[in-house]
């Protein structure tokens, strides 16, 4: 018992260093996912049939295949096939981002569709182009309506980032695993990892809730 | 480029073997997870005092930590205190506990969404508490919870791949073994992905079909 | 139809036809508006009033026909001309269609800034004037959800007026309002008419129509089947009189 505690405390700085990498992966993946998900959702709502079809296939693929399989497929398979020589860290960001884009597009699509159609019509009646209407009227609302979905997405990506340890990314999980297998204090170390993830999950959710409150508009139902 | 014999002779037989293991992980976990979800969700929605607090704590902890960590604790951690679980048992237990926590969230939400007035109305008509639960509350709660719980089962199908990490060789594990042996990662994992896509798509259709069967006009729209 | 254009004609619609979902919603409709006219569209719902108004504003592109504004025919194919026409023709919707994420003043200012490219300060000054004109100086910074239905509709009128339209189209502007809020909107419209604004309005507010409208256009099954001054149309046996007597 005492030995477990000693191991946990002495390895804590090392493991917390991994937490920094975990957060970096999550932030990177979510940002990348945003830039995929938003255009994808616009295509799914406003695009022509061919574009819609392509977008739907993308979403179907990335939502249907497990993260672990995607990581193996891209890191060991496709990335080497196209001679893309990137680190495990960036592979994790890329794969989680590609996948997150599919999920985020569903969040944004739902938000776009929840805005009454009349608003785009009113924008056009004032002489705005379609692009202006989407840019100034639809998107500012989409971002607000999507925040709760985004907070949920954060908690999913954070937990999925733990799977990236199979690539040897130096985040919480692989550092815990490293210490655990050398000290034989598996239970204590993995519980410690659990606590760190737990704090990161709920702290992030709380932070996003604060942003949500800040952007809140009276009477605007999110 | 496309090597049919590689698929027919090596990939498909191995993946089929793995698929059986995956299915034997998914079905018990889905059923037990749902049962736990209903119990925990009901406790959280209606219970008072210590039981509802424990139920809430359980859901918060399991939803707040990665499944990988939970599996590692069960498989690599518990031996430290003398509990040894087989890879299969550790995986099934982990999936059950984790998906139970997520199910409870949907069950709780569904129970809370049913208006108090309906319970009063049932009581006014002479329904007993048990009878109003079975005849009035549950049929509605079930429909409300169905999309969320259905989604959770689809998640479970995908996350069952994590069993491989604790050495339970299922679909993903079989794929990894062939891919490592032959160095043909892209071909093998595209096939593995396709297996999951088919499972997930079939499950999705099945859930849509149930939802349609249970559809009540206008129900759930005025929330 | 025997509409003749004269020097005062501001907007002329000739033989407009619109097919939606395989059905002819608008059939060969012609009408004209002189400067300062207030004409009203009356008729059963589903008769094509909304679609006609949205065709005039080119929110729906007509399949056949012409729209002549200030003596110049508008091409339905040129995007620039469509956008320009929409700026000159204001539109008031039945359900307001305010932008939910913007305050009243921002709702009015956004098109000034983004479409007319006015600098921010100028746009806000103008928005303030327009909101004052509809009696909402005290609600500049309220969000749509904080306004009553009547106030929302007045904001939407201010939003349209800020673009300096030459014609205003109103699609049943009071039909989504509680009875006690209808008057505040109608009086704004009445003031506008008195100040010389040219308007085409779909409405069922008969007392308003009788007192203020220059002409009633009765629309049914996508066609204007009767048109005349309220006085004449409502004093003889007509389809319009028949319909209006059932409204009360």
């Amino acid at each position: 018992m005492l030995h477990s505690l000693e191991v946990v405390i002495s390895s804590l700085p090392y493991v917390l260093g991994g937490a920094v990498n975990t957060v970096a992966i999550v932030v990177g993946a979510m940002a990348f996912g945003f830039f995929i998900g938003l255009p994808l959702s616009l295509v799914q709502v406003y695009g022509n049939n061919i574009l819609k079809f392509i977008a739907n296939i993308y979403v179907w693929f990335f939502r249907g295949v497990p993260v672990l399989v995607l990581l193996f497929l891209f890191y060991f398979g496709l990335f080497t096939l196209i001679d893309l020589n990137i680190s495990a860290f960036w592979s994790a960001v890329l794969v989680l981002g590609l996948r997150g884009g599919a999920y985020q597009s569903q969040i944004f699509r739902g938000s776009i569709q929840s805005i009454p159609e009349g608003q785009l019509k009113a924008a056009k009646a004032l002489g705005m182009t379609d692009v202006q209407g989407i840019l100034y009227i639809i998107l500012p609302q989409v971002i607000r309506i999507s925040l709760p979905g985004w907070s949920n997405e954060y908690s999913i990506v954070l937990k999925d980032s733990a799977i990236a340890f199979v690539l040897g990314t130096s985040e919480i999980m692989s550092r815990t695993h490293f210490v655990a297998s050398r000290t034989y204090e598996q239970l204590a170390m993995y519980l410690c990892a659990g606590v760190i993830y737990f704090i990161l999950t709920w702290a992030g959710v709380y932070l996003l809730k604060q942003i949500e409150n800040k952007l809140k508009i009276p009477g605007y139902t999110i | 480029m496309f090597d049919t014999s590689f698929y027919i002779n090596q990939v498909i037989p191995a993946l089929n073997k793995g698929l059986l293991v995956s299915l034997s992980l998914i079905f018990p976990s889905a059923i037990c997870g749902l049962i736990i979800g209903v119990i925990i969700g009901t406790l959280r929605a209606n219970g008072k005092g210590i039981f509802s607090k424990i139920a809430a704590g359980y859901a918060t902890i399991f939803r707040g930590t990665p499944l990988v960590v939970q599996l590692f604790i069960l498989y690599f951690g518990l031996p430290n205190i003398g509990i040894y679980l087989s890879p299969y048992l550790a995986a099934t237990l982990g999936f059950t506990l984790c998906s139970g926590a997520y199910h409870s969230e949907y069950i709780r939400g569904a129970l809370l969404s049913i208006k108090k007035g309906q319970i009063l109305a049932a009581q006014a008509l002479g329904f007993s508490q048990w009878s109003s639960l079975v005849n009035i509350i549950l049929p509605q709660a079930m429909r409300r919870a169905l999309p969320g719980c259905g989604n959770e089962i689809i998640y479970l199908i995908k996350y069952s791949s994590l069993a491989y990490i604790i050495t339970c060789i299922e679909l993903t594990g079989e794929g990894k073994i062939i891919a490592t042996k032959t160095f043909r990662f892209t071909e093998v994992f595209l096939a593995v992905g396709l297996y999951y896509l088919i499972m997930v798509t079939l499950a999705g259709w099945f859930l849509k079909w149930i939802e349609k069967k249970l559809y009540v006009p206008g129900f759930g729209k005025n929330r | 139809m025997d509409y003749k254009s004269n020097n005062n004609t501001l907007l002329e619609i000739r033989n407009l036809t619109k097919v939606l979902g395989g059905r002819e919603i608008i059939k060969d409709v012609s009408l004209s508006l002189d400067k300062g006219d207030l004409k009203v569209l009356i008729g059963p719902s589903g008769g094509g009033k909304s679609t006609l108004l949205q065709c005039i504003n080119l929110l729906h592109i007509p399949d056949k026909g012409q729209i002549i504004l200030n003596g110049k025919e508008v091409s339905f194919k040129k995007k620039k001309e469509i956008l320009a026409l929409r700026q000159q023709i204001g539109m008031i919707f039945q359900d307001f269609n305010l932008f939910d994420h913007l305050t009243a003043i921002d709702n009015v200012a956004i098109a000034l800034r983004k479409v007319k490219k006015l600098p921010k300060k100028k746009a806000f000054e103008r928005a303030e004037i327009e909101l004052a004109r509809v009696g909402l100086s005290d609600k500049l910074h309220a969000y749509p959800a904080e306004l009553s239905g009547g106030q929302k509709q007045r904001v939407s009128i201010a939003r349209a007026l800020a673009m300096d339209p030459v014609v205003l189209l109103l699609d049943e502007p009071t039909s989504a309002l509680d009875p006690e809020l209808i008057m505040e909107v109608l009086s704004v419209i009445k003031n506008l008419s008195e100040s010389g604004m040219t308007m085409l309005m779909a409405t069922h507010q008969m007392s308003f129509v009788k007192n203020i409208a220059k002409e009633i256009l009765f629309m049914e099954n996508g066609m204007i089947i009767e048109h005349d001054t309220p006085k004449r149309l409502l004093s003889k046996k007509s389809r319009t009189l028949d319909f209006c007597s059932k409204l009360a």
Side-chain angles (χ1 to χ4, degrees):
Chain A
M1 183 70 193
L2 210 61
H3 180 248
S4 317
L5 210 60
E6 265 171 35
V7 169
V8 168
I9 290 171
S10 63
S11 66
L12 204 57
Y14 176 66
V15 174
L16 285 178
V20 174
N21 289 337
T22 290
V23 171
I25 291 174
V26 173
V27 170
M30 286 198 75
F32 184 40
F34 177 83
F35 287 108
I36 293 175
L38 193 60
L40 214 52
S41 68
L42 291 173
V43 164
Q44 283 178 308
V45 179
Y46 301 112
N48 65 26
N49 284 340
I50 300 167
L51 286 173
K52 269 185 192 162
F53 179 76
I54 296 170
N56 286 339
I57 292 282
Y58 180 93
V59 172
W60 175 74
F61 179 81
F62 278 100
R63 290 184 68 199
V65 178
V67 191
L68 183 60
V69 177
L70 288 174
L71 287 168
F72 284 154
L73 174 65
F74 279 86
Y75 186 67
F76 296 115
L78 292 172
F79 288 165
T80 31
L81 209 69
I82 59 170
D83 265 331
L84 185 65
N85 204 352
I86 54 173
S87 66
F89 173 86
W90 285 107
S91 297
V93 170
L94 223 54
V95 172
L96 290 175
L98 286 168
R99 176 168 179 279
Y103 279 94
Q104 287 191 39
S105 80
Q106 301 305 96
I107 300 172
F108 296 136
R109 193 185 66 167
S111 307
I112 294 172
Q113 284 168 339
S114 75
I115 298 168
E117 233 176 290
Q119 295 203 22
L120 196 56
K121 215 171 230 175
K124 283 200 229 173
L126 290 167
M128 288 195 197
T129 60
D130 284 300
V131 174
Q132 283 178 317
I134 290 170
L135 208 60
Y136 302 127
I137 306 302
I138 303 297
L139 285 187
Q141 300 187 58
V142 165
I143 302 298
R144 284 191 178 83
I145 302 172
S146 300
L147 266 169
W150 231 59
S151 139
N152 191 40
E153 173 69 7
Y154 161 77
S155 108
I156 292 175
V157 175
L158 173 68
K159 284 174 275 178
D160 282 349
S161 75
I163 303 172
F165 98 96
V166 296
L167 306 185
T169 320
S170 181
E171 39 68 78
I172 299 173
M173 215 44 218
S174 64
R175 291 197 177 189
T176 329
H177 192 57
F178 180 80
V179 177
S181 51
R182 265 154 198 76
T183 57
Y184 297 100
E185 288 293 351
Q186 282 92 345
L187 186 60
M189 283 312 294
Y190 294 135
L191 282 174
C192 168
V195 170
I196 296 173
Y197 278 112
F198 185 84
I199 293 168
L200 284 178
T201 301
W202 296 117
V205 169
Y206 176 80
L207 192 75
L208 284 164
K209 186 85 203 163
Q210 297 308 306
I211 296 176
E212 208 177 289
N213 288 339
K214 200 146 211 154
L215 290 176
K216 201 174 209 151
I217 288 174
Y220 197 81
T221 44
I222 286 187
Chain B
M1 178 78 196
F2 191 79
D3 185 350
T4 330
S5 74
F6 173 57
Y7 279 103
I8 291 174
N9 296 330
Q10 293 187 61
V11 178
I12 291 174
L15 293 191
N16 283 346
K17 201 171 90 192
L19 178 65
L20 283 181
V21 180
S22 286
L23 291 174
S24 71
L25 284 163
I26 293 164
F27 275 101
S29 308
I31 292 164
C32 298
L34 207 51
I35 293 170
I36 290 184
V38 171
I39 296 169
I40 300 292
T42 312
L43 279 175
R44 288 176 65 194
N46 301 326
K48 288 175 190 74
I50 188 85
F51 286 113
S52 120
K53 285 218 173 72
I54 292 173
Y58 159 77
T60 312
I61 289 170
F62 276 82
R63 293 187 330 125
T65 51
L67 180 54
V68 184
V69 176
Q70 294 161 23
L71 292 174
F72 271 32
I73 290 174
L74 289 172
Y75 185 68
F76 296 115
L78 288 185
N80 282 5
I81 52 170
I83 301 171
Y84 293 86
L85 300 176
S86 71
Y88 174 79
L89 198 61
T92 315
L93 190 61
F95 296 156
T96 302
L97 291 174
C98 185
S99 70
Y102 283 94
H103 280 307
S104 81
E105 191 73 5
Y106 301 114
I107 307 277
R108 171 178 169 267
L111 287 171
L112 290 179
S113 74
I114 292 161
K115 293 198 187 80
K116 285 268 184 316
Q118 295 197 30
I119 302 169
L120 286 178
Q123 283 170 345
L125 289 167
F127 278 90
S128 70
Q129 211 172 4
W130 175 252
S131 171
S132 67
L133 180 72
V134 171
N135 294 300
I136 311 294
I137 309 298
L138 280 183
Q140 297 187 50
M142 226 172 60
R143 286 185 173 83
R144 290 249 157 99
L146 190 63
C149 290
N151 237 339
E152 184 46 42
I153 288 176
I154 289 176
Y155 270 103
L156 174 65
I157 295 174
K158 290 180 280 177
Y159 284 105
S160 71
S161 59
L162 296 184
Y164 157 70
I165 298 181
I166 54 168
T167 72
C168 177
I169 304 302
E170 38 60 80
L171 186 51
T172 308
E174 294 285 356
K176 184 80 197 304
I177 291 168
I178 308 181
T180 313
K181 208 163 60 189
T182 58
F183 262 101
R184 296 164 89 158
F185 282 93
T186 307
E187 287 159 279
V188 173
F189 280 110
L190 276 178
V192 174
L194 195 62
Y195 270 69
Y196 282 105
L197 279 171
I198 291 169
M199 274 198 277
V200 165
T201 306
L202 286 178
W205 283 348
F206 179 65
L207 286 161
K208 275 267 154 55
W209 178 76
I210 299 182
E211 263 176 62
K212 224 173 172 174
K213 271 229 119 107
L214 296 176
Y215 173 75
V216 174
F219 182 79
K221 292 242 168 81
N222 50 348
R223 277 198 276 182
Chain C
M1 291 284 166
D2 53 351
Y3 281 107
K4 290 189 190 74
S5 47
N6 56 44
N7 290 340
N8 275 333
T9 303
L10 188 60
L11 177 70
E12 205 186 337
I13 309 299
R14 284 192 199 144
N15 311 103
L16 214 66
T17 297
K18 176 70 191 172
V19 180
L20 277 173
R23 228 165 54 86
E24 247 186 8
I25 308 290
I26 307 292
K27 296 170 191 158
D28 199 29
V29 167
S30 301
L31 62 89
S32 80
L33 289 172
D34 288 354
K35 271 193 191 96
D37 274 358
L38 168 60
K39 295 190 176 182
V40 296
L41 283 168
I42 292 183
S45 56
K49 302 185 300 286
S50 271
T51 312
L52 176 62
L53 289 173
Q54 296 196 13
C55 277
I56 296 174
N57 203 9
L58 294 179
L59 286 171
H60 289 305
I61 304 295
D63 294 304
K64 278 187 221 130
Q66 294 168 292
I67 296 177
I68 295 143
L69 183 64
N70 274 326
K72 198 171 159 284
E73 191 183 340
V74 178
S75 156
F76 302 160
K77 294 224 170 69
K78 290 185 186 139
K79 197 153 184 190
K80 220 172 164 184
E81 284 189 33
I82 293 175
L83 293 176
L85 174 115
R86 287 187 189 148
Q87 280 188 55
Q88 292 178 71
I89 300 183
M91 179 97 182
I92 304 298
F93 298 88
Q94 190 174 335
D95 43 5
F96 333 126
N97 288 338
L98 290 188
F99 306 133
D100 289 328
H101 65 307
L102 300 176
T103 57
I105 195 164
D106 280 322
N107 255 285
V108 180
I110 188 148
L112 292 173
R113 290 172 55 198
K114 304 300 181 184
V115 178
K116 290 214 156 171
K117 313 281 183 202
L118 288 190
K120 200 168 172 176
K121 191 161 165 266
K122 279 241 167 68
F124 279 116
E125 279 168 13
R126 180 66 199 270
E128 215 172 319
I129 292 169
E130 291 303 335
L131 283 168
R133 173 132 70 130
V134 295
L136 288 175
S137 292
D138 55 335
K139 295 285 181 191
L140 298 181
H141 302 292
Y143 285 98
E146 299 171 311
L147 298 171
S148 73
Q151 291 168 335
K152 282 186 205 172
Q153 195 57 294
R154 279 145 67 197
V155 173
S156 98
I157 292 172
R159 181 172 73 177
L161 291 178
M163 300 298 284
D164 291 319
V166 294
V167 179
L168 204 55
L169 308 174
L170 303 100
D171 188 1
E172 303 202 26
T174 59
S175 69
L177 298 178
D178 291 336
E180 70 268 26
L181 300 176
I182 291 177
M183 276 323 291
E184 66 180 62
V185 172
L186 287 183
S187 79
V188 166
I189 296 170
K190 183 164 172 268
N191 287 341
L192 271 177
S193 176
E194 280 162 1
S195 69
M197 175 58 78
T198 312
M199 290 186 273
L200 178 61
M201 172 174 176
T203 186
H204 289 151
Q205 294 296 321
M206 286 318 294
S207 61
F208 179 82
V209 170
K210 275 179 214 159
N211 292 327
I212 300 179
K214 181 184 167 195
E215 190 175 47
I216 293 177
L217 310 167
F218 188 84
M219 198 169 179
E220 193 168 33
N221 297 323
M223 292 177 288
I224 294 176
I225 56 172
E226 290 175 347
H227 65 94
D228 211 332
T229 61
K231 209 170 172 183
R232 268 182 291 198
L233 210 50
L234 297 172
S235 61
K236 61 181 187 206
K237 193 173 154 39
S238 68
R239 177 73 185 92
T240 311
L241 182 64
D242 185 42
F243 177 81
C244 293
S245 63
K246 285 176 190 153
L247 279 180

